Amino acid sequence: MPVLNERAYLEHAVASVLEQELEGPAELVLALGPSTDGTTELAQRLAAHDERIRLVDNPDAHIPVGLNAAIRASRFPTIVRVDAHSELSPGYAHRALATLRRTGAANVGGVMRADGRTPFQTAVARAYNSPIGLGGGAYHGTAHEGEAESAYLGVMRRDVLEEVGLFDESIRRGEDWELNLRIRQAGHRVWLDPQLSVTYWPRESWWRLARQFRATGAWRGELVRRYGRSNGLRFFAPPALVLNVALALIVAVLQLTGVLSGVWSIVASVVYLPLVAYLLLVIAMALRPGGGRTPRERIWTLAVLPTMHLAWGAGFLVGVLRGARGTVDASRLGTQNTPLP
């Protein structure tokens, strides 16, 4: 479990791991980044009270570096990746291990069930759980079990991880997808079991959400530079939206200044149609049953979806054009999270 500024979530995440029922011995290795909110001290207290918890340092705070440090420090043949901003459902590890044995896969993952405790966070969670929000990735909600492109978190065979070289430490976001690509290219299977679920708590503010998605988009653009069409087509929808918005702004300026007029202005107005369709889609999602329990959640949905799409799309274009160049997700730096109930 890589950990950075997760004081509000760490204890719940750790408890959900240690409460898993397993037939054999297990340990929880926390890779501690340089937190500023008391997370490291909390982790040390938790480790002092449970000998199953082990601590390793991750001074650069990069997720793949921390994951590799934790994997190298671990002692067992199966690696269960967990996240400090998530909680495993009861029976998760037991079923995942059974699925790993049953399918012969190298990596098994489940469904990410996003949840929130404020109107904003709940709106973000609903976007995560919707194919409109994140492009329909299988682990964001599916009932179909079978081979998959990638796995959320993942329960992995250590020998396969070592065979493919662990996580690529040059990648700051999207490290799961890249690892699973190498696993599949090595002739192994990645498996999705929808009976496995993990609760994920999204970012707590608009600014942190935007920073997270910009960084994630930049690294997806970097992965496109590296691996080309190995990336799914759904990843190209947000950058297409960003380009459409930019083109619409240019057309609007030319129309307002009179540079475009008459028939040419009418023809150029076609650029607005996709944006109108997108706006109607966002409104429909906010108003649909389940789009929000309260008016505030529905209003936040109207802001959250474009933020996710535009920030991700803008980051993607930058990543494709010049590479991610060490872009980091700064949405966790210096955060002071509100404790969970």
Side-chain angles (χ1 to χ4, degrees):
M1 178 190 293
V3 180
L4 176 68
N5 287 324
E6 297 286 6
R7 179 177 54 83
Y9 296 90
L10 181 62
E11 194 163 2
H12 289 260
V14 167
S16 77
V17 172
L18 298 181
E19 290 168 1
Q20 297 293 310
E21 296 181 1
L22 294 169
E23 297 174 357
E27 64 188 354
L28 172 59
V29 186
L30 306 182
L32 301 179
S35 296
T36 59
D37 68 345
T39 293
T40 299
E41 293 76 12
L42 173 58
Q44 291 169 342
R45 290 196 298 272
L46 294 173
H49 286 87
D50 196 311
E51 62 182 10
R52 292 173 293 175
I53 301 176
R54 302 173 61 209
L55 308 178
V56 297
D57 289 328
N58 179 21
D60 292 332
H62 297 315
I63 290 176
V65 175
L67 287 169
N68 285 346
I71 291 169
R72 293 187 181 106
S74 65
R75 298 169 290 187
F76 297 106
T78 306
I79 304 296
V80 182
R81 176 179 174 176
V82 289
D83 188 86
H85 225 59
S86 302
E87 295 174 27
L88 303 183
S89 60
Y92 175 93
H94 185 273
R95 180 178 176 90
L97 291 172
T99 302
L100 202 64
R101 291 190 296 267
R102 172 173 58 86
T103 63
N107 188 9
V108 170
V111 176
M112 185 184 79
R113 307 286 188 192
D115 201 358
R117 63 182 186 273
T118 65
F120 175 83
Q121 198 176 43
T122 300
V124 177
R126 292 182 185 280
Y128 265 100
N129 294 332
S130 166
I132 298 174
L134 285 177
Y139 58 77
H140 290 295
T142 182
H144 174 69
E145 180 178 2
E147 291 192 49
E149 175 186 2
S150 187
Y152 177 59
L153 299 182
V155 179
M156 298 165 275
R157 299 182 187 276
R158 185 192 194 97
D159 58 343
V160 175
L161 279 178
E162 293 175 343
E163 175 190 338
V164 301
L166 304 185
F167 288 90
D168 185 337
E169 296 185 1
S170 71
I171 296 175
R172 302 295 181 240
R173 302 287 296 178
E175 71 283 345
D176 287 321
W177 180 89
E178 192 276 338
L179 173 67
N180 283 295
L181 175 63
R182 283 187 284 121
I183 288 174
R184 291 185 287 110
Q185 288 177 337
H188 304 287
R189 290 193 295 176
V190 177
W191 196 265
L192 173 66
D193 182 353
Q195 295 303 310
L196 300 171
S197 67
V198 179
T199 298
Y200 170 76
W201 301 96
R203 299 299 190 265
E204 304 88 349
S205 72
W206 178 86
W207 180 240
R208 288 178 183 148
L209 180 71
R211 294 172 77 180
Q212 176 196 16
F213 270 75
R214 183 194 174 279
T216 303
W219 277 104
R220 177 56 59 179
E222 173 69 30
L223 292 174
V224 167
R225 285 170 64 96
R226 297 190 189 190
Y227 299 104
R229 294 194 63 183
S230 297
N231 295 265
L233 289 176
R234 69 180 183 274
F235 296 121
F236 295 89
L241 174 65
V242 172
L243 292 175
N244 195 167
V245 169
L247 184 58
L249 289 174
I250 293 172
V251 169
V253 170
L254 294 177
Q255 289 174 329
L256 290 173
T257 56
V259 175
L260 276 178
S261 60
V263 175
W264 289 111
S265 178
I266 295 173
V267 171
S269 295
V270 173
V271 73
Y272 301 129
L273 295 180
L275 298 182
V276 172
Y278 175 76
L279 179 61
L280 292 175
L281 183 65
V282 171
I283 293 173
M285 182 172 174
L287 296 179
R288 70 179 177 84
R293 292 186 296 270
T294 68
R296 288 183 66 190
E297 289 175 16
R298 295 180 184 276
I299 291 172
W300 271 124
T301 297
L302 297 174
V304 160
L305 279 172
T307 297
M308 293 168 69
H309 294 151
L310 293 174
W312 198 100
F316 178 93
L317 291 171
V318 172
V320 166
L321 293 174
R322 66 173 182 84
R325 295 187 180 181
T327 299
V328 297
D329 175 10
S331 62
R332 290 268 182 255
L333 301 181
T335 181
Q336 296 293 330
N337 296 322
T338 304
L340 281 165

